[in-house]
Amino acid sequence: MGSFIDLTASDGANFPAYVCKPQGAPRGALVVLQEIFGVNAHIRSVADRWAERGYLVVAPATFARLQKDVDLGYGADDVKAGAALKAQAEALPGAGVLTDVQAAIDYAARESGGKKVGIMGFCWGGLLAWRAAGQLSGLSAAVPYYGGGMTTEKEIARTPKVPVMAHFGDRDAHIPVASVKALEQAHPDIQVFLYAADHGFNCDQRGSYDAAAAKLADERTQAFFAQHVG
């Protein structure tokens, strides 16, 4: 359904983004942020599914400043390669890859004819979606899925400017339940959900996939975006 296009950030950096357009006029727009595995088959399938629901969807390649055409699987070597790229991305000066996320938001707003824009992300993309909710412009809602690092003290201190719904697994070794509770207590206006699941429970290409948790989180996310985006 979708295809890759090239976008340009405000600092002149070029990067690809996977774009899916719905049949007919879009009800709204969404930016989908990748895990540490690139805009791979899973992220493209998420974008396709939301386009089928009537949204114009943009999935920017947030590793493009470091390495082009990153498309990893979920084996041990893939995890190692993705983690190394994430570490480099987090070390970029200034706003780093959030500059590219802002360009994706701006593009989504333009291409949808000025519709509201929501953002969602998975793992590292969940962390970026959380940061975007407080730092970037043009958003109406944000949904981080198991945002790695977003429950640290530094990240909890951020203040989102738009409504946020966050999904976590209670068996996620990377994100302790106590830290999720700390996020919830610090931000009582955020909708925080814990599932009996592991990290990556939404991805049907991973061993940690949990169909029941993925379905419930998806239903809640659909209702949330319907309310805040369109």
Side-chain angles (χ1 to χ4, degrees), residues 33-36 86 90 120-131 142-153 155-156 164-169 172-177 179-180 183 192-195 198-202 206:
L33 299 180
Q34 64 172 66
E35 302 167 292
I36 62 171
K86 176 195 171 184
E90 289 286 299
M120 65 189 304
F122 304 87
C123 186
W124 179 50
L127 172 61
L128 294 178
W130 168 247
R131 291 173 178 168
V143 179
Y145 273 73
Y146 32 87
M150 70 172 281
T151 60
T152 62
E153 187 174 332
E155 295 296 333
I156 288 175
V164 175
M165 173 183 284
H167 304 293
F168 298 96
D172 190 334
H174 306 284
I175 307 173
V177 170
S179 70
V180 175
L183 172 73
V192 177
F193 295 104
L194 265 174
Y195 302 83
D198 204 340
H199 190 79
F201 67 78
N202 184 70
R206 303 178 74 161

Side-chain angles (χ1 to χ4, degrees), residues 204-223:
D204 59 6
Q205 299 177 28
R206 303 178 74 161
S208 57
Y209 174 62
D210 187 293
K215 182 176 184 292
L216 181 54
D218 183 59
E219 289 171 350
R220 286 168 167 165
T221 301
Q222 285 188 68

Side-chain angles (χ1 to χ4, degrees), residues 34-40 62-64 66-91 97 122-125 127-128 148 174 199 206:
Q34 64 172 66
E35 302 167 292
I36 62 171
F37 307 104
V39 184
N40 63 4
T62 46
F63 279 156
L66 307 166
Q67 183 177 319
K68 300 290 187 182
D69 304 321
V70 176
D71 187 342
L72 300 172
Y74 296 94
D77 289 343
D78 298 300
V79 172
K80 184 177 180 180
L85 285 166
K86 176 195 171 184
Q88 293 177 54
E90 289 286 299
V97 300
F122 304 87
C123 186
W124 179 50
L127 172 61
L128 294 178
H174 306 284
H199 190 79
R206 303 178 74 161

